[in-house]
Amino acid sequence: VPATPASRPRIAIDVMGGDRGPAVTVAAALARRDVADLVLVGDEAQIPAAAGHGAPRVLVHHAAEVLSPGDSLADVLRRRPDSSMRQALRLLAEGAVDGVVSGGDTAALMALSRAVLHMVPGIERPAIGKLLSGMHGDFWMLDLGANLDCSAPQLHQFAFMGTMLSRHVSRLEAPRVALLNIGTEPHKGPDVLRAAAALIDADPRLHYVGFIEGNSLFAGEADVVVTDGFAGNIALKAIEGAARMAGHLLRGWVDGLGPLQRAGLWPARRDLEALRHVFNPQRYNGASLVGLSGVVVKSHGSADVEGFQSAIDEALLEIRGRIPWRLAEQSGDTG
Amino acid sequence: VPATPASRPRIAIDVMGGDRGPAVTVAAALARRDVADLVLVGDEAQIPAAAGHGAPRVLVHHAAEVLSPGDSLADVLRRRPDSSMRQALRLLAEGAVDGVVSGGDTAALMALSRAVLHMVPGIERPAIGKLLSGMHGDFWMLDLGANLDCSAPQLHQFAFMGTMLSRHVSRLEAPRVALLNIGTEPHKGPDVLRAAAALIDADPRLHYVGFIEGNSLFAGEADVVVTDGFAGNIALKAIEGAARMAGHLLRGWVDGLGPLQRAGLWPARRDLEALRHVFNPQRYNGASLVGLSGVVVKSHGSADVEGFQSAIDEALLEIRGRIPWRLAEQSGDTG
C-alpha cells in the first residue's frame, strides 16, 4: 500500500529523460518550485548549479547513468542500475517522493516502474491514461499502449482506474464509462469487449453507458473511454495523424488568402495558431502510468519547457487527488 | 473466375438501400447513364417512371422486398430471398452486370456478397478497402471492418489486393505497402503483424516498406495501408472523430472573429467551408468489398446524390481497372 502523501507534494524529476534533457527538464521543474518540493535526479555535472541555490525545496539527487535509445529492455532492467529513471522511481518506492515525471522511453519507464514499484492490490497491470479535450468537456482514455492484449477483468480494472481519475482529478461525480468498439450495438465487436461490458455494467461503483465508436470520442458521450492498449494506441495516433492533416489543410487555406484578407486576420492570428496546434501532443503532454503504488507521469520526449511543466502539473493533480491511495482503498472488488 | 467485363461498364444499383432510398439512388444513377449501363434494382412502384423513359441504357429490375435495419443477418440471408440487395448481387453473379453499388447495411452486404458471389481463388475473405486523401497523395487502406481477426496470410492477401487497387485504380506503378502498427520498429506489436510482415516482404509482387503508425498515415509514407478490420475500423472512425472536432474548433474560431474580419474572409468562405468538410465521409464515399468475383461498392447510408455518385464512380474505376479479373489472374501465390 502506498505511503500517505505529504502535505506538500514531492516530485522526483528524471532530468536526463527526454530529447533535450536538463535544458528542458530543470527549467520546467524550477518553474514549479513554489507549489512542490522537487528532487532533480540525474548527472549532477549536467544540472546547473543555480538549480540548488536559493531553492531549499529543490534537491539534486545524483545518478551516474543515463538511458539511451539504443538500450534494450534487458539493458534498462539489468545493466543500468544507476540510471536517472530508476533512481527517481526508487525514491518513489521508498516514500521519499509522491510522484515521478520522466520524458524517457515509454517502454523503459513501464518496465522499470513495474520492477521498482508495486502494483495497487487488485490491479494486474498498469495502463497508460490520458486526459483528452472533447467538444463538450474532457475525457480520460486508457489504455493507450501499455498492454496489447487485455482480458475482460483487466478492462474492468481500467474502467475503475479511469473512473477514479475522472472523479478525483477532473472532479466529475459520476463519470460515464464507455468501451471503445467498432459499433454501439451490444452484439458488436470481439467477445472480450462484451465480457468486459458485463463486468463494468455489474459494478455498482461504475456508471457504464455502453460501447463508443471513434467518431463519437469527442462528442461528449463519455467521461472515461476504456480500450486495450493496441486499439487505444491506434486510435490516439490516428487522431494525431488526422490533426496534422487538418493543420496542413488549414495552413494551405491561409496561404491561399489574399494579402488584404491576411492582414484582416492578423488580430485573430494567435487563435488561428492555437487552432492549428489544438491536437498538438504538447497540449496534452503528460500521460499517466496508472495502477502503480505511486504517481508516474510520462512526458513526450520532444516536450519543451512548457510541455514538461504540463507533465509535472498532471503529476501534481494526481498526487492532490490521491489517485494511487484511493485506488488501493477501493480496488477490493475489481481484482 | 469472374466473367470478362463488357466494353461498356454495367452496374446494378440497389435503389432501396440507404437512408433515403430511390430519391437519392435513382437520381445519382441517372446522372451516370452517359458512362455506364445501369440496372435499377428495387420496388418498381417506388422508382420514378421517368427513370425508364428516354434512357435505353437504364433498366428497371423489380425486387419485391427491402431490407430493414431491424433484419438480423439470418433474416437477410434466409428470409428475404427477393431483397433488392440480393437481386442486385445475383445479377452480378450471373454476369448480367460487372458491379453492384448499395447503400444498405455493411454487414448485410458483406454476408449476402459472400453467399451469392464467389471469392477470387486464393483470397479467403473479402476486405473493406477505401481510398483516403493524404497530404502528398492518396492511399488505400484495408481492411476497414469486415474481419475482426485476421491471420498473417489474410493480411498478406489484403496487401496484394491493396496493391492491385493502387496499381489499377490509382495508377501507381509500385505501390508502397505498410502494415498499421503501434510502432515502426520491427519488434513492435502483436506476433501476427510480424508474421504478416515477413510474408509481404518475401512476395516479389509487393513493395513492402514496413510498419506505419497512425500519426504518419497522412504523411505520404505508404500507398497501401494494411490492417485487420478491428484496428482499421477503430483508426478510420477515430480520424472521423478528430475531423469533426477540428471542424468544431474551426467553427468556433470563425464565430469569434469580428464582423470586419468575417467580411474580409467572405471571398475565401467557400474554401473555408470545404476545409471544414474535408474529412466528411461523403467526400470519400464508396468503400470497396474487395476479394469477391465482381465489383461491389458500399455507399454510406446517409449519402446524398453527389455522395452516391462517388460510390458509382468508384465502381466504374474498379471495373475499368478490371480489379476482380486481375486479382483472379495473379492471386496464385497468395493463398
Side-chain angles (χ1 to χ4, degrees), chain A residues 73-313:
Chain A
L73 279 188
D75 291 336
V76 167
L77 287 169
R78 273 167 242 132
R79 282 189 285 277
R80 299 274 182 276
D82 199 25
S83 70
S84 55
M85 190 189 279
R86 182 188 278 268
Q87 291 299 328
L89 291 166
R90 265 198 203 140
L91 292 175
L92 181 56
E94 291 160 6
V97 296
D98 308 306
V100 165
V101 179
S102 174
D105 179 70
T106 304
L109 185 60
M110 180 64 68
L112 274 180
S113 295
R114 295 205 67 202
V116 173
L117 301 170
H118 296 286
M119 293 300 303
V120 166
I123 307 291
E124 293 168 56
R125 297 262 314 165
I128 297 177
K130 213 167 181 180
L131 189 64
L132 299 174
S133 277
M135 293 186 228
H136 313 288
D138 297 340
F139 61 98
W140 285 91
M141 190 159 160
L142 72 174
D143 177 22
L144 294 173
N147 310 281
L148 290 193
D149 267 318
C150 295
S151 66
Q154 283 173 328
L155 292 168
H156 178 205
Q157 292 159 22
F158 297 170
F160 166 67
M161 298 196 289
T163 294
M164 298 300 273
L165 284 165
S166 185
R167 202 176 280 160
H168 300 292
V169 173
S170 308
R171 304 280 170 199
L172 294 184
E173 201 136 322
R176 296 159 301 165
V177 177
L179 276 163
L180 186 65
N181 199 348
I182 60 170
T184 54
E185 304 90 332
H187 68 274
K188 281 285 175 93
D191 292 339
V192 66
L193 287 183
R194 282 190 295 280
L199 289 175
I200 297 168
D201 200 24
D203 187 333
R205 300 167 307 171
L206 309 180
H207 178 30
Y208 181 63
V209 295
F211 292 141
I212 192 169
E213 294 179 87
N215 48 10
S216 304
L217 276 178
F218 299 96
E221 294 174 8
D223 308 304
V224 176
V225 175
V226 173
T227 165
D228 68 63
F230 187 77
N233 196 276
I234 291 280
L236 185 74
K237 287 179 179 161
I239 289 164
E240 272 181 41
R244 283 189 203 174
M245 178 75 183
H248 169 84
L249 293 165
L250 190 56
R251 206 154 38 245
W253 176 75
V254 171
D255 290 347
L257 291 176
L260 269 177
Q261 292 173 321
R262 274 212 248 187
L265 282 183
W266 190 258
R269 196 183 155 77
R270 281 179 69 95
D271 287 344
L272 187 63
E273 203 59 27
L275 194 62
R276 257 178 49 195
H277 293 295
V278 74
F279 285 113
N280 183 324
Q282 302 276 46
R283 202 185 113 122
Y284 297 119
N285 194 31
S288 309
L289 271 58
V290 56
L292 298 158
S293 62
V295 169
V296 180
V297 172
K298 160 80 175 93
S299 162
H300 262 273
S302 63
D304 57 15
V305 173
E306 199 187 339
F308 201 82
Q309 281 169 10
S310 304
I312 298 176
D313 292 343

Side-chain angles (χ1 to χ4, degrees), chain B:
Chain B
V1 180
T4 307
S7 60
R8 190 173 148 96
R10 303 162 304 167
I11 300 180
I13 307 287
D14 169 15
V15 299
M16 311 309 286
D19 303 346
R20 285 177 280 172
V24 158
T25 55
V26 173
L30 292 181
R32 288 295 177 268
R33 73 173 98 178
D34 51 332
V35 288
D37 290 349
L38 295 151
V39 184
L40 307 178
V41 185
D43 178 5
E44 57 191 3
Q46 292 187 53
I47 298 174
H53 287 291
R57 281 162 160 176
V58 179
L59 298 172
V60 175
H61 182 100
H62 180 65
E65 289 177 302
V66 177
L67 297 180
S68 81
D71 288 334
S72 69
L73 279 187
D75 290 337
V76 167
L77 288 168
R78 274 167 243 133
R79 283 191 284 279
R80 300 272 182 277
D82 199 25
S83 70
S84 55
M85 189 189 279
R86 182 188 278 268
Q87 291 300 328
L89 292 166
R90 264 197 203 141
L91 292 174
L92 181 57
E94 292 159 6
V97 296
D98 309 306
V100 165
V101 178
S102 174
D105 179 71
T106 304
L109 185 60
M110 181 62 68
L112 274 179
S113 295
R114 295 205 68 202
V116 173
L117 301 169
H118 296 286
M119 293 301 302
V120 166
I123 306 290
E124 293 168 57
R125 298 262 312 167
I128 298 177
K130 213 169 181 180
L131 189 64
L132 299 174
S133 278
M135 293 185 229
H136 312 288
D138 296 341
F139 60 98
W140 284 91
M141 189 159 161
L142 71 174
D143 176 23
L144 294 173
N147 310 281
L148 291 193
D149 268 316
C150 295
S151 66
Q154 282 173 328
L155 292 168
H156 177 205
Q157 291 159 22
F158 297 170
F160 166 68
M161 297 196 290
T163 294
M164 298 300 274
L165 284 165
S166 184
R167 203 177 279 159
H168 301 291
V169 174
S170 308
R171 303 281 170 197
L172 295 184
E173 201 135 323
R176 296 160 300 164
V177 178
L179 275 163
L180 185 65
N181 199 348
I182 61 170
T184 54
E185 304 89 334
H187 68 274
K188 281 283 175 93
D191 292 340
V192 66
L193 287 183
R194 281 190 296 279
L199 289 175
I200 297 168
D201 199 25
D203 187 334
R205 301 167 305 172
L206 309 180
H207 178 28
Y208 181 62
V209 295
F211 292 141
I212 192 169
E213 293 180 86
N215 48 10
S216 304
L217 276 177
F218 300 95
E221 295 174 7
D223 307 304
V224 176
V225 175
V226 173
T227 166
D228 69 62
F230 187 77
N233 196 276
I234 291 281
L236 185 75
K237 287 181 180 160
I239 288 164
E240 272 182 40
R244 282 189 203 173
M245 178 75 183
H248 169 84
L249 292 166
L250 190 57
R251 207 156 36 246
W253 176 74
V254 171
D255 290 348
L257 291 175
L260 269 176
Q261 291 173 321
R262 274 212 248 187
L265 281 183
W266 191 257
R269 197 183 155 75
R270 281 179 68 96
D271 287 344
L272 188 64
E273 202 60 27
L275 194 62
R276 258 179 45 196
H277 292 295
V278 73
F279 285 112
N280 185 322
Q282 301 276 48
R283 201 183 112 121
Y284 297 117
N285 196 30
S288 308
L289 271 58
V290 56
L292 298 159
S293 62
V295 170
V296 180
V297 172
K298 158 81 175 93
S299 163
H300 260 274
S302 63
D304 58 14
V305 172
E306 199 187 338
F308 201 81
Q309 281 169 10
S310 303
I312 298 175
D313 292 342
E314 176 58 36
L316 281 167
L317 284 171
E318 291 180 33
I319 293 168
R320 291 202 189 107
R322 301 183 64 249
I323 298 301
W325 300 273
R326 289 188 203 268
L327 288 177
E329 283 160 15
Q330 297 186 36
S331 79
D333 7 336
T334 319

